Amino acid sequence: MPYHIRAERVSDRVIVVGDPGRARLISSILEDARLVNENRGLLTYNGFWRGREVTVATHGMGGAGATIVFEELIQLGGRVMVRYGTTGGIREDVEPGDFVVPVSAFYHPGGLFKQYFGDLCVSPAPDLELTWRLSESLRGRGLRVWAAPVVSSDAFYAETPEVVKRWSEFGAVSVEMECASLFAVSRLRGVRSSSVLLVNGNILYPGKRMISEGELEDRLLAGARIILDVLAELK
């Protein structure tokens, strides 16, 4: 049994989220959901969606801590992981309520990437087929979707307009914290991963409205159902 996630096993299909409240929210729409870990607040649920077992697991905030969770979920049987969270837009046309399906994740050098990969310059990217299925399924439900690079940053309060504007000039559409770690480690361990992110505000254009709590929950549940449908249909 891993050190932090004290579960006997998880499904091979996992939705990973930063917020334990979000894990509770998504587990509420599963059938026969069972809490299998609450150690360190990393709430983890096993349940069923359309007859297929799935897991919803909390990874917390930041790439370093989240990577511990990703590694332990893989040890417990996870083979497909989709990170589902929120993200801040860094382009004027990226609106609160939009969805982002990252095709790659930029990151600052050093940190866990240095420890995992040494001087090798890795290119964190998700599983192509899974990413395509997610983006097409979201679009098929009439949602506005960006399939584009994101920035993964561990320094939440260092994400000033001056810092992130340069990332936007390289094609990134939003900032979050864990995708680069997930994509890199899942490639290293030979499992599949992808991500769906809900834009809840815009860093470069703070005059844009922030998404309300009620709208956020409704939008998160709508996206969760689509992700669960895709996971249930995977061969």
Side-chain angles (χ1 to χ4, degrees):
M1 183 180 295
Y3 186 76
H4 303 91
I5 304 177
R6 295 177 180 170
E8 294 294 330
R9 55 175 293 281
V10 298
S11 169
D12 60 342
R13 298 147 201 252
V14 187
I15 296 179
V16 285
V17 298
D19 180 1
R22 197 162 297 154
R24 281 193 294 269
L25 178 67
I26 298 172
S27 71
S28 71
I29 63 174
L30 298 180
E31 298 172 6
D32 300 324
R34 295 183 302 108
L35 179 66
V36 296
N37 181 73
E38 55 184 336
N39 185 48
R40 299 202 176 207
L42 299 170
L43 303 185
T44 305
Y45 297 86
N46 290 341
F48 293 85
W49 181 262
R50 292 172 50 192
R52 178 74 71 170
E53 187 182 38
V54 294
T55 293
V56 180
T58 309
H59 61 62
M61 292 184 289
T67 298
I68 295 171
V69 175
F70 303 150
E71 290 273 29
E72 294 191 1
L73 289 169
I74 293 168
Q75 292 171 28
L76 288 165
R79 293 297 175 265
V80 180
M81 290 189 286
V82 177
R83 164 162 151 66
Y84 188 34
T86 53
T87 188
I90 58 173
R91 278 180 41 162
E92 186 173 12
D93 48 353
V94 176
E95 299 283 348
D98 290 354
F99 284 89
V100 176
V101 179
V103 298
S104 63
F106 302 161
Y107 63 93
H108 296 279
L112 71 89
F113 296 98
K114 179 74 172 178
Q115 291 174 276
Y116 268 92
F117 303 104
D119 294 328
L120 191 65
C121 184
V122 300
S123 179
D127 180 84
L128 180 60
E129 180 190 0
L130 180 57
T131 299
W132 180 84
R133 284 178 179 237
L134 289 166
S135 62
E136 288 302 294
S137 295
L138 289 161
R139 287 193 177 99
R141 306 286 180 91
L143 299 170
R144 192 165 186 241
V145 179
W146 296 86
V150 298
V151 180
S152 295
S153 170
D154 276 336
F156 186 90
Y157 288 104
E159 294 163 1
T160 63
E162 294 74 25
V163 170
V164 298
K165 188 174 187 298
R166 189 155 182 253
W167 289 116
S168 72
E169 292 169 352
F170 293 139
V173 298
S174 70
V175 175
E176 56 85 62
M177 301 186 76
E178 298 88 13
C179 282
S181 303
L182 173 62
F183 299 162
V185 169
S186 61
R187 291 283 182 181
L188 181 65
R189 301 303 180 210
V191 301
R192 303 169 70 185
S193 66
S194 189
S195 179
V196 174
L197 305 170
L198 174 62
V199 179
N200 63 346
N202 194 299
I203 295 171
L204 286 182
Y205 301 90
K208 290 181 180 288
R209 68 178 180 88
M210 288 288 289
I211 195 167
S212 69
E213 283 299 316
E215 186 182 357
L216 179 66
E217 182 171 310
D218 290 345
R219 205 78 166 167
L220 283 168
L221 283 173
R225 290 184 173 95
I226 295 169
I227 296 168
L228 287 164
D229 282 346
V230 170
L231 290 177
E233 291 165 2
L234 282 179
K235 301 300 183 185

